Amino acid sequence: MNQQHSASDTAYEKIRDAIFEEKYERGEKLTEVKLAEELGVSRTPVRDAMRKLEEEGLIKDKRVINPTIKDLMNTFDVRMLLEGFAVRQAARYMGPDRIEGLQRCVETGKQGTTEEIMEANKEFHDIIVRASNNDVLIDTIERMQSVIFLFRRTVVYHQRPRLIEEHEAILEAIQNHEEDQAESLMKSHLKKDLDFSIHSW
Amino acid sequence: MNQQHSASDTAYEKIRDAIFEEKYERGEKLTEVKLAEELGVSRTPVRDAMRKLEEEGLIKDKRVINPTIKDLMNTFDVRMLLEGFAVRQAARYMGPDRIEGLQRCVETGKQGTTEEIMEANKEFHDIIVRASNNDVLIDTIERMQSVIFLFRRTVVYHQRPRLIEEHEAILEAIQNHEEDQAESLMKSHLKKDLDFSIHSW
DNA sequence: AATTATAAAATTGTGTACAATTGTTTTTGT
DNA sequence: ACAAAAACAATTGTACACAATTTTATAATT
């Protein structure tokens, strides 16, 4: 059923995770041969992986990105636009399955482990994004995920206050079909994430 | 100064242009060896090119895209969000160089050849997008350009009425620092492009 | 000592062979 | 004639060799 991972895919995942775990420092030059040796594959799949990582913005000019505050703000400005739009569609109509999904995310946010909370936080936003029913929008946010993840670790590991309550309020607006309210809440929610990320930078 | 084109770059351009010129039909399967032979290079640069084209959405699953009306609408929804935001920043402040650039685009739109008009049309939007001063937003729209271009041919070759007048109105709003007006005009401008594209589909 | 020129090394780009996979036809059995 | 199986063909994935380019180190000139 599930096609097995190719060497390119595993190379991609390993390099990506190594960047997340800061095994490779910010700004470090990544060379194909070095990575190929470390992963025990040839340069070809490594090249594929690096191209994908460049696409996602995790690598730039063969170097691990070292995002500035401005990059962070730019990313969030785009997120606010896209997720603000998405949550409007969600408020217009969202099926019971997805509503339940959001409720579960809130639950986990209240009583899960740190790792579970991070996952639930991401899933909450993912469900709303998918509710946009716009593949272009979905793909665009998907591509931003890696960079966002780099920042989200900060936010959740430091346990930003009121995060779950805000999710709850957004969910309520969705259930009540309050589009304006949902968009407004989502944007201020993301704005707080941004501010929190900047201050704990 | 200008680094010369690599085989990957020229392969990318040639395949892309061939798709634009419909030398390859919508939905046609593109195989690496066939393209490599046609371009007189090995598979390696062709693979690079195809990956980039997939990234841009011109190829999907090794096939030339055959976009649906929904794809078109999705693309424009995202465009409206991003360019609406960009034109706000432009209206807040835009330097004299860029203002002049926009004016030249309007001029060309009035009295240029069809090909020049197309170029000026794109440049008009590009200048505004760049004025957002947000690299994430710029890159995102940049990536959408190929698909947009596929549609824009339709719009300009059929000479949509009032297109230049709308550009002029947007420019005026920018010069008068009317953010709300600029955003509103840009969104309705794009909406008309969308409707026109759909009807001449 | 600083700057330019030259050589060496490292890195990336490209071609090509072969392996693995996928897709297509042919064969076989009922 | 149809379904299943086997053989074959086509396509993509991966490794590796070599070329082209870029970077770094070394030498030469003022």
Side-chain angles (χ1 to χ4, degrees):
Chain A
M1 167 102 271
N2 233 339
Q3 56 187 346
Q4 59 191 357
H5 284 285
S6 64
S8 299
D9 294 338
T10 52
Y12 161 75
E13 288 170 7
K14 287 191 178 173
I15 298 170
R16 182 197 58 190
D17 293 346
I19 292 174
F20 286 155
E21 293 159 16
E22 316 220 4
K23 195 189 153 205
Y24 302 127
E25 286 172 35
R26 306 283 169 93
E28 180 177 346
K29 176 91 185 271
L30 298 179
T31 68
E32 296 171 5
V33 279
K34 187 165 162 288
L35 292 172
E37 282 168 11
E38 282 182 30
L39 302 175
V41 293
S42 81
R43 278 174 54 212
T44 311
V46 170
R47 282 176 65 100
D48 288 349
M50 285 184 73
R51 189 176 306 275
K52 199 171 175 192
L53 290 163
E54 294 234 14
E55 192 182 319
E56 291 180 359
L58 234 43
I59 293 181
K60 191 145 197 168
D61 298 329
K62 314 274 170 186
R63 292 178 179 280
V64 178
I65 49 150
N66 187 8
T68 63
I69 298 283
K70 185 168 182 239
D71 292 328
L72 181 55
M73 297 195 310
N74 286 342
T75 303
F76 268 79
D77 274 342
V78 174
R79 266 193 88 185
M80 284 165 66
L81 285 172
L82 299 182
E83 294 202 26
F85 178 85
V87 81
R88 274 192 163 277
Q89 318 304 313
R92 195 184 305 268
Y93 171 75
M94 179 173 263
D97 293 358
R98 281 176 168 157
I99 294 275
E100 277 175 42
L102 292 179
Q103 284 165 339
R104 271 196 302 278
C105 288
V106 170
E107 276 313 306
T108 307
K110 283 178 179 167
Q111 52 185 33
T113 65
T114 305
E115 208 60 43
E116 282 171 350
I117 292 173
M118 277 192 62
E119 186 54 44
N121 191 2
K122 180 178 186 313
E123 178 68 4
F124 184 88
H125 286 269
D126 277 354
I127 291 172
I128 289 171
V129 168
R130 284 197 294 269
S132 72
N133 197 28
N134 179 329
D135 288 339
V136 178
L137 188 150
I138 294 169
D139 288 350
T140 303
I141 294 206
E142 186 61 37
R143 216 179 286 111
M144 297 167 67
Q145 284 304 332
S146 288
V147 176
I148 291 172
F149 182 78
L150 224 47
F151 296 127
R152 204 193 303 265
R153 289 190 85 84
T154 312
V155 177
V156 179
Y157 279 145
H158 289 88
Q159 297 286 12
R160 174 164 87 73
R162 300 259 320 133
L163 188 133
I164 306 303
E165 288 90 331
E166 287 163 25
H167 279 188
E168 255 180 323
I170 291 169
L171 172 54
E172 197 185 326
I174 291 173
Q175 287 179 301
N176 295 338
H177 307 297
E178 297 166 340
E179 292 183 39
D180 290 342
Q181 174 73 350
E183 180 179 1
S184 165
L185 287 171
M186 176 61 87
K187 286 188 172 176
S188 67
H189 170 65
L190 291 173
K191 181 77 169 60
K192 281 176 191 159
D193 262 12
L194 170 62
D195 290 340
F196 190 79
S197 297
I198 289 175
H199 292 130
S200 55
W201 194 235
Chain B
M1 164 105 262
N2 235 339
Q3 56 188 345
Q4 60 191 355
H5 284 287
S6 65
S8 299
D9 293 338
T10 52
Y12 161 76
E13 287 169 8
K14 287 191 177 174
I15 298 171
R16 183 198 58 191
D17 292 345
I19 292 174
F20 286 155
E21 292 159 17
E22 317 221 3
K23 196 188 152 203
Y24 302 126
E25 286 172 34
R26 305 282 167 96
E28 179 177 346
K29 176 90 184 271
L30 298 179
T31 68
E32 296 171 4
V33 278
K34 187 166 162 287
L35 291 173
E37 283 168 11
E38 283 182 30
L39 302 176
V41 293
S42 81
R43 280 174 52 213
T44 312
V46 171
R47 283 176 65 100
D48 288 348
M50 286 183 72
R51 189 177 304 277
K52 199 169 175 194
L53 290 163
E54 294 234 15
E55 192 182 318
E56 291 179 359
L58 234 42
I59 294 181
K60 191 146 196 167
D61 297 329
K62 313 270 168 189
R63 291 179 180 281
V64 178
I65 51 151
N66 188 8
T68 64
I69 297 283
K70 190 174 179 232
D71 291 329
L72 180 55
M73 296 195 310
N74 286 343
T75 303
F76 268 80
D77 274 343
V78 174
R79 264 194 90 185
M80 283 164 66
L81 284 172
L82 300 182
E83 294 202 24
F85 178 86
V87 81
R88 274 192 163 278
Q89 316 306 312
R92 196 185 304 270
Y93 171 73
M94 178 174 262
D97 293 357
R98 280 175 169 159
I99 294 275
E100 277 175 42
L102 293 179
Q103 284 165 338
R104 271 196 302 274
C105 290
V106 170
E107 276 313 305
T108 307
K110 283 179 180 169
Q111 52 185 34
T113 66
T114 305
E115 208 60 43
E116 283 172 349
I117 292 173
M118 278 193 62
E119 185 56 43
N121 191 1
K122 181 180 186 310
E123 178 67 5
F124 184 87
H125 286 269
D126 277 355
I127 291 172
I128 290 169
V129 168
R130 285 197 293 270
S132 72
N133 197 28
N134 179 330
D135 289 337
V136 178
L137 188 149
I138 293 169
D139 288 349
T140 304
I141 293 204
E142 185 61 38
R143 217 180 284 110
M144 297 167 68
Q145 285 304 332
S146 289
V147 176
I148 291 172
F149 182 78
L150 223 47
F151 296 126
R152 205 194 302 263
R153 289 189 85 84
T154 313
V155 178
V156 180
Y157 279 145
H158 289 86
Q159 296 287 14
R160 174 164 88 72
R162 302 259 318 135
L163 189 132
I164 305 303
E165 288 90 331
E166 287 164 25
H167 279 188
E168 255 180 322
I170 291 168
L171 172 54
E172 197 185 325
I174 291 172
Q175 288 178 301
N176 295 338
H177 306 298
E178 297 166 339
E179 291 184 39
D180 290 342
Q181 174 74 348
E183 180 178 1
S184 166
L185 287 172
M186 176 61 87
K187 285 188 172 175
S188 66
H189 171 65
L190 291 173
K191 181 78 170 58
K192 282 176 192 159
D193 262 12
L194 171 62
D195 290 340
F196 189 79
S197 298
I198 289 175
H199 292 131
S200 53
W201 194 236

